Structures are given as C-alpha cells and as structure tokens.
Amino acid sequence: MRRLKTIEWVGNTVRIIDQTKLPVRLVYEEISSIAVMYDAIKQLRVRGAPAIGIAAAFGLYLGIREFEYDPEDKAAFMAELSRQAAYLGSSRPTAVNLFWALKRMKACAEKEIASAGAGRIKDRLLMEAQRILQEDRETCKAIGKYGFELLKGYSTILTHCNAGGLATSEYGTALAPVYVGKEEGKTFHVYADETRPLLQGARITAFELHEAGIPVTLICDNMAAMVMAQHKIDAVIVGADRIAANGDTVNKIGTYGVALLAKAHGLPFFVAAPFSTFDMSIQNGSTIPIEERGEDEDPRIRHADGSCGHSGL
Amino acid sequence: MRRLKTIEWVGNTVRIIDQTKLPVRLVYEEISSIAVMYDAIKQLRVRGAPAIGIAAAFGLYLGIREFEYDPEDKAAFMAELSRQAAYLGSSRPTAVNLFWALKRMKACAEKEIASAGAGRIKDRLLMEAQRILQEDRETCKAIGKYGFELLKGYSTILTHCNAGGLATSEYGTALAPVYVGKEEGKTFHVYADETRPLLQGARITAFELHEAGIPVTLICDNMAAMVMAQHKIDAVIVGADRIAANGDTVNKIGTYGVALLAKAHGLPFFVAAPFSTFDMSIQNGSTIPIEERGEDEDPRIRHADGSCGHSGL
C-alpha cells in the first residue's frame, strides 16, 4: 500500500504535495516562508482540516524564524507571533484546526517564555509543529482503529469530498478505517462522490485510494441517491471541517444532502474527526462561519450564471 | 423574451440548435439525412424527450424521401419505413417520445396507404412530422398554463437538468409555467442544478432562462439540499424521460435524489410532461430501460476511476 506524505518537515523547509495538480501530476512543493504557506492554504495546494492545522503550525514557525528580537523583550516576540498567527488565520475561515494549531503554537510560546525565557523559543516552536504532525499521525491511526470496529460489518462505503490521507498527514480521518481495514485484511469498496465544484472526490479521494490499491468507484454527486437505492452502499463516512459543542457538523457542501439521502435509505452515516476539529466554544452549527469561495475559482467548468458558494476544504 | 427555435423545418431540411455547443456558441445545424439525424440524437446535439420525438419524426421522413418504390408495392414501402424507424429508435433507449413519434409516423403511413395508396405517402409523412412539431408547441403551452396555476403561489423554483424550451420545440415542459408566468407578469426566480456529468442545467437551462430575461441561479447538484434548508426554494419542477402506467417517472440521473431532498424539506415536487411521455405499456418504473452512456464521453472533466452511468437526456 503506497502511502503518500501530504506534509513533512524536510531539512529546513516544509514539503507538501501540491493538491491542485492532482491527479494529473504528483508534484511536491518546498515551502520556506509564511507568505508562501498562506497562499498554499488559501489556494488549496494543501487542504483538509487536519493538514491545514499542521501547515499552519509550520507556517507560523517559518514566519517567526527570521524575526530578530531582544530575548529580554518577551512582549515584542509575542506581539509578532500573534500578528503572524492572525495573518495565517485569515487564509481559510471554516477549518477550526487552523485556529486550534495557531492557538496551540501561541500557548507553547507563552509557556516556554514563562519557564525558560525567549532564548530558544524558535527551536521550541519548531518542535511543537513537529509534535502536532506526529500527534496527527497517531490520532488518525486511532480514528482508523475505532472506525474499523464500527465499519467492519460493512463492505461498501460512500464518502464525500476528501477526508483521506491527503487531508491529514497520513491515514486520513474518514478513510482511516478503510486503510486500517486493508492492513487487517479487509478490503472495502469505496464509492467516491466527485464533489463539485472543485472535485476533491474525483481528483484526490479516487487518486489516493487507487494508489493504495483499494477499489474505488467514482460517481457524480447526484448519483448518490441512486446507488443507495440500488443497495450498492452499506454505510456513509465523511470528515468534518468543524464540529460544534452539540455535535452539529460543518463539512464540504453536499454533506448535508448525502446525510439526508442516507437517512431516507436507512443507512448509517458516520463523521470521523479528531478532537482538534471540535469547537466547544460554539454551541451549535448555526453560528459556524461558512467559507464561500470566489465565483471565478473553477477553471474547468464555466458557470453561465449565478453563485457557487461552498466550503472549499 | 427571446424564444429560441430548438427544431424547425426550413425549406427541405431540419434546422436544429447544436446543443453541445451551448452556452459558448449558438450554432444552428441543417440536417438533410437520417444518418446525420441519428448522430445528432445520439450525440445530444438535439436532446430533451419531446424534441427527440420531433427530430425522429423528421429524421424518418428524411430517411424515406429518397426511397424509390413501386406505388403498388405497399409492403416494400412499409418494410423500408420499419427498417429506418428501427435504426433511428436505436439512438437513445430511454426517451419514450422517440418510439412514440416513430410509431405515430408508421401508423400515419399505414392509414394513408389503406385509404389513398402509396402515391403521396412521402408528402403525408412530412405533414405528420410537422403536425407533431405543431402539437408539441400547443402541448407545451398547455403544460405552461396548467403548471402556472399550480406554481403561481410560489416565487422560487428549483429544476434539474433541462426540460425547457431547448428540450422541446418552444416552451418546454418543466419551464413552460415559468415562461407562461413571465407572459402573465409573474417573474419566478429559478435555481438550476448544473446536472453533472453533462451539465445540461449549467449549459442549457441557465442559458435559455438568461436569454429569456428570467433570473436564474446556477448551483452545483450537491448544493440543492442546502439551498432548500436555507428556505431559498418554494417548489421543485422537473421534466420526464418516461412515465410508467403507475406514475413512476424516469428522468435524468439526480432527479430521484432531488425528490427525496424536497420531501425531507416538505417542498412540493412536480413532474411536467406531455401525454407522449407516458408509456402505458410499462406497469412500473423498474422495467424502464435506463440509458448508461460511455465512460469516455465527458471531455471537460477526466474521471480518475469508475463509472458515470446516467440517462443522458
């Protein structure tokens, strides 16, 4: 099973897979400045809520590593860190992992300064980013194990968008049970919604499952109801952009529709996400900000008229 | 309100709008042979169940008009007519209007031969095709009037695929109430599903409504549930490829999903179709043949894997 490295720290740069080039070309990009990382997140070269969190953590380190400061002036360092974190945080509004990672990096800096001063703060921040990456690997693997327990009685799984390895560091969230299943000798057949308008299902989910040797059937979003009616789907599993305190879940446009269709066909519908995707400060889904991207974004299909707003993760 | 002529008899050829070029270019094509008409139907240059019926009627006349026969040998003429009708009938399997029109043309020939012989049979068949076209105009207008009575209490309408003027000779079926409404001073706002994979909603419905000065918002198919939840839709109306004796309706892939979503949101869901779309020989929808088109058909979006079967009307 070929496992792609979505995001890695290599030497002194971050290496990502440029996901806008998939599936036609597998292109790696080395990022060594916060401005390039901001663009990479905004333009979806790195995407998927957990991967965005990791990218933001490394991006913040890249932003601060050249910053010259007086080790005694802790306030100046923290002010600069906050300024750069706010800049990165403006790249994508919906993914809570982005804010979670930036907050965690700031908390790490505060703790380090309080205990050891600002002398080695940059090294400490790099370590924290690497720890976030490592924890993501472990978290996704755990999601895979728990999820596989839930799903192992089923054979065919429908998923929407991409919450696979390419949305995280390695195993993914929604697809983690499928990868764990493969390791344990159970091969699921995955139906992937193509996920208009940006086709993350067609370009990314189908690609990564195919790379991993897992059978995948790509369908247009509007076919989901029909394949359910034809008894081709046993269960649905998706990732999440953000989950409110009451469990309300925000995810890629179309997820709500798939959930209604699953209900209409009596199919179980699962959301797979790490704790970092929960936002306990938000009581319910109605107040989660929903990203609506520009009308001119999709170069493949020209729209004759009207809006095509969506959460772009 | 600019009304496009989807299909017309001009001089001694059939003129159609090549719908595969829309909305980028409005190209008319003159067709003077049955073989070109077969390709035009199969390749969706002319599409929409009622328009296909009209095209088939004219196509059959084009096929027979050069046929040399002995006016006394009525059986030879009918055999050739049947052969050509079977050929045209193999172009698209789902649209019953295709078979309806071919059957009507054959019945017309039989009646003419029985009453007046085969001498002027070709002229009679051309007249019959023109009558089918004229009746379609009147039928669609009537659908528009009845439909407007049903819909006039609503303001925003969702439709899937294209069952507008470009699917018929003029008014359309699902969109006829919208056009009649416009004539009577009521402007609906139409949400058009883009209708993957071939984008009839994006390319054709949005185009023709825009041409007619009717406000239209194009959405991706997977957005329908969300715009319903946002109370942006008052009612759904679609066309039909074929309707069984019990009312089961076959229409473009995605229609079933939209119907379930409408139900989940308590929205009325209408099917607009002429009598020629009813197939009383079929008891229920389970035995209606569903067209599945080739995997390599869509040049705009490459699929990474798997099937994309759909009824292509």
Side-chain angles (χ1 to χ4, degrees), chain A residues 194 196 218 256 265 307, chain B residues 194 196 218 222 256 265 307:
Chain A
E194 67 172 5
R196 285 280 296 144
L218 176 63
Y256 165 61
H265 292 91
S307 68
Chain B
E194 66 173 4
R196 285 281 294 146
L218 176 62
N222 65 25
Y256 166 60
H265 293 91
S307 68

Side-chain angles (χ1 to χ4, degrees), chain A residues 109-126:
Chain A
E110 270 159 14
K111 202 174 154 196
E112 171 73 11
I113 284 173
S115 66
R120 294 175 50 85
I121 184 79
K122 291 176 180 176
D123 291 349
R124 186 66 195 78
L125 285 171
L126 175 57

Side-chain angles (χ1 to χ4, degrees), chain B residues 225-247:
Chain B
M226 185 58 84
V227 295
M228 287 177 184
Q230 291 171 342
H231 308 293
K232 288 180 178 166
I233 306 297
D234 295 333
V236 181
I237 188 165
V238 298
D241 290 359
R242 196 184 302 204
I243 300 173
N246 73 339

Side-chain angles (χ1 to χ4, degrees), chain A residues 305, chain B residues 1-4 178-179 181-183 186-190 205-216:
Chain A
D305 198 343
Chain B
M1 181 158 62
R2 179 176 171 194
R3 191 161 293 133
L4 298 162
V178 172
Y179 291 128
K182 174 99 174 169
E183 288 169 359
K186 158 107 186 179
T187 302
F188 292 97
H189 182 130
V190 181
T205 299
F207 172 79
E208 71 165 80
L209 289 170
H210 188 73
E211 287 285 311
I214 289 163
V216 53

Side-chain angles (χ1 to χ4, degrees), chain A residues 231-251:
Chain A
H231 308 293
K232 288 179 177 165
I233 307 296
D234 296 333
V236 181
I237 188 165
V238 298
D241 290 0
R242 195 182 305 204
I243 300 173
N246 73 339
D248 283 357
T249 296
V250 169
N251 191 46

Side-chain angles (χ1 to χ4, degrees), chain B residues 23-193:
Chain B
V24 180
R25 285 187 299 144
L26 179 57
V27 176
Y28 291 87
E29 176 183 0
E30 305 229 332
I31 296 178
S32 52
S33 80
I34 187 173
V36 175
M37 185 61 88
Y38 175 94
D39 286 344
I41 295 171
K42 187 164 181 80
Q43 295 164 8
L44 315 182
R45 300 205 298 275
V46 58
R47 32 74 42 208
I52 287 174
I54 299 164
F58 281 115
L60 189 57
Y61 167 72
L62 293 175
I64 210 73
R65 77 170 162 186
E66 309 291 343
F67 179 60
E68 307 265 349
Y69 66 102
D70 172 1
E72 298 304 307
D73 190 356
K74 297 162 188 172
F77 184 88
M78 284 309 298
E80 176 66 11
L81 194 71
S82 287
R83 193 185 67 76
Q84 303 226 17
Y87 164 65
L88 264 183
S90 66
S91 58
R92 297 285 306 273
T94 304
V96 74
N97 305 59
L98 175 63
F99 307 107
W100 170 87
L102 294 170
K103 207 168 143 187
R104 182 163 155 177
M105 291 289 279
K106 284 197 285 182
C108 165
E110 271 158 14
K111 202 174 154 196
E112 172 73 11
I113 284 172
S115 66
R120 295 177 49 85
I121 185 81
K122 290 176 180 176
D123 291 349
R124 186 67 194 78
L125 285 171
L126 175 58
M127 270 177 60
E128 190 69 6
Q130 287 172 315
R131 188 172 292 170
I132 288 172
L133 170 63
Q134 183 54 33
E135 285 176 13
D136 179 77
R137 285 210 177 101
E138 289 159 12
T139 301
C140 288
K141 180 121 198 201
I143 289 173
K145 284 182 173 170
Y146 289 122
F148 181 56
E149 285 304 308
L150 288 167
L151 291 175
K152 68 183 179 187
Y154 306 119
S155 297
T156 55
I157 307 292
L158 175 72
T159 191
H160 187 74
C161 196
N162 175 262
L166 286 163
T168 65
S169 61
E170 203 173 355
Y171 272 80
T173 54
L175 297 186
V178 172
Y179 291 128
V180 168
K182 174 99 174 169
E183 288 169 359
E184 311 234 334
K186 158 107 186 179
T187 302
F188 292 97
H189 182 130
V190 181
Y191 280 74
D193 281 351

